[in-house]
Amino acid sequence: MNTDKKQPYINSSITNKIATITFYTPASNSFPSLYLTKLTDTIEEISKNKEITTIILKSEGEGAFCAGASFDELLSIKDSVTGKKFFSGFATVIDAMRRSPKIFIGRIHGKTVGGGVGLAAACDYCFATEKASIKLSELAIGIGPFVIEPAVSRKIGKTAFTQMSLAAHEWKTATWAYNHGLYSELYETTEMMDIEIDSFSKRVSEYNPDALLEMKKIFWEGTENWTELLHKRAEISGKLVLSEFTINALNQFKNK
């Protein structure tokens, strides 16, 4: 197990019928493309394990849960093909979670932005702390939360998604996220949350695996076109990131 906090990593462990996937990157747990690919591969590999019924998704540290996609890599995009590939990173992760027969439990311990909100939305059940405020900041830099929209709207509804998207500079509180259905449970401290996650995941993992599988299908009814849809959305962002507006906005952010 990688314990060097200076290097990014995707770790996984299995206890009885429960798998835990932990990710870490130094830049507030934001994702370079390479580690989105590794996360997708880890999800798909664990999903093949018939002994596993439940997957806990978490990140390392006490700061942000996930700051979305890598800002440095975003700045390096020079053509639409590379842009689509970059934005397809979160698309493949969300789609892998959707297609997986396992129940995903999210552990959201801190602030989450953009693609991180998409990861939380793709979980079947989310635990969060009061520090876990959320923001969709994409419009502020000239793109939009196109790839994660289906997952987020599915959880909180189109009206709440619209509010988040247009208020691109505004943090929504963890209580707001809980009231709108993104978070299933909300706790004052990480310690309290972890106790409940442990209890809940053990209970869920003991349910009839066949029943869980059938319930997972019901949870995600109507999303059968998402593999194609999410990648079409990635193509939109991949073009917009090359616009003069976005290039100027990104450079302003970089120079702050």
Side-chain angles (χ1 to χ4, degrees), residues 132-153:
S133 52
I134 58 175
K135 181 166 68 171
L136 296 181
S137 58
E138 286 87 343
L139 278 175
I141 56 172
I143 52 176
F146 300 106
V147 170
I148 65 170
E149 180 277 324
V152 178
S153 290

Side-chain angles (χ1 to χ4, degrees), residues 167-186:
H169 291 84
E170 178 183 322
W171 287 98
K172 297 293 187 183
T173 66
T175 300
W176 187 94
Y178 170 75
N179 289 337
H180 285 82
L182 180 66
Y183 299 150
S184 308
E185 300 194 26
L186 194 61

Side-chain angles (χ1 to χ4, degrees), residues 2-10 22-35 59-72 109:
N2 188 346
T3 58
D4 182 0
K5 297 298 190 295
K6 295 182 180 180
Q7 298 297 323
Y9 62 81
I10 308 290
T22 306
F23 61 88
Y24 169 80
T25 68
S28 300
N29 288 322
S30 61
F31 273 101
S33 295
L34 174 63
Y35 285 88
S59 65
E60 194 62 78
E62 298 180 357
F65 165 72
C66 177
S70 166
F71 194 78
D72 288 340
H109 69 271

Side-chain angles (χ1 to χ4, degrees), residues 74-75 141-143 240-251:
L74 189 63
L75 283 165
I141 56 172
I143 52 176
L240 285 172
V241 76
L242 300 173
S243 69
E244 183 178 354
F245 183 105
T246 301
I247 292 170
N248 291 336
L250 288 172
N251 284 322

